[in-house]
Amino acid sequence: MDGPSIPTLSLDETNFERAINFFGIYDLEVEVGFEKKKTFLGTKSPRVCRFCHKTDKEVKFSNDAHVLPQFTGNRNLMSYFECNECNDRFSLYEDSLSKYIGITRTIHQVKGKSATKVPKFKNLKTGLELS
């Protein structure tokens, strides 16, 4: 066998129709697996923030902008299309979201930002602790 095998997926009629509709609307831009190297979406030049629509002449693009938050386990899917201001703003929302779904991250053993350990869950009201 040459190279990795690609798994096949069996779909019932309803989900097959959904897949056809989905791929009729959206184009596959990049396929991401568990690569060790960083993959960037967007173009490096000219840079335009997809959220505030400012260009690299108006704002900076020096932060590492993750397409999916790091707390979800994403280490390598990055974007060229998120300015520092928007990246900082959305990191506040991501922090709140990570705390909200904290127990899920612990149960599913999703490593935190440091990528070295799974966050411990502790509910101060009930005393419930998971690690």
Side-chain angles (χ1 to χ4, degrees):
M1 177 182 259
D2 296 321
S5 63
I6 299 171
T8 58
L9 182 64
S10 297
L11 299 175
D12 60 27
E13 188 174 333
T14 301
N15 285 315
F16 179 77
E17 288 293 323
R18 289 177 179 159
I20 295 296
N21 290 335
F22 179 86
F23 288 109
I25 297 170
Y26 298 101
D27 293 324
L28 180 62
E29 193 167 310
V30 66
E31 218 174 310
V32 179
F34 295 99
E35 301 277 333
K36 296 281 184 190
K37 63 180 183 152
K38 290 186 177 181
T39 301
F40 287 85
L41 301 182
T43 58
K44 197 167 187 176
S45 179
R47 283 198 170 172
V48 178
C49 181
R50 70 177 173 160
F51 301 109
C52 68
H53 306 288
K54 293 180 182 176
T55 68
D56 51 5
K57 297 192 184 332
E58 302 168 274
V59 293
K60 292 186 178 189
F61 287 84
S62 57
N63 288 354
D64 280 343
H66 292 80
V67 174
L68 299 170
Q70 283 180 294
F71 76 81
T72 64
N74 175 37
R75 303 279 174 265
N76 299 315
L77 185 57
M78 314 299 281
S79 79
Y80 285 130
F81 48 66
E82 187 174 328
C83 73
N84 291 1
E85 291 176 15
C86 289
N87 185 273
D88 291 343
R89 183 178 305 118
F90 286 113
S91 70
L92 299 173
Y93 299 125
E94 290 171 8
D95 183 55
S96 294
L97 180 61
S98 73
K99 289 175 182 168
Y100 177 74
I101 64 170
I103 195 168
T104 304
R105 294 173 58 216
T106 304
I107 291 169
H108 292 286
Q109 299 290 289
V110 177
K111 293 180 180 177
K113 270 188 170 185
S114 68
T116 58
K117 62 180 182 175
V118 173
K120 181 178 179 179
F121 176 81
K122 184 175 183 179
N123 185 313
L124 298 176
K125 290 181 182 177
T126 65
L128 174 67
E129 287 188 33
L130 294 174
S131 55

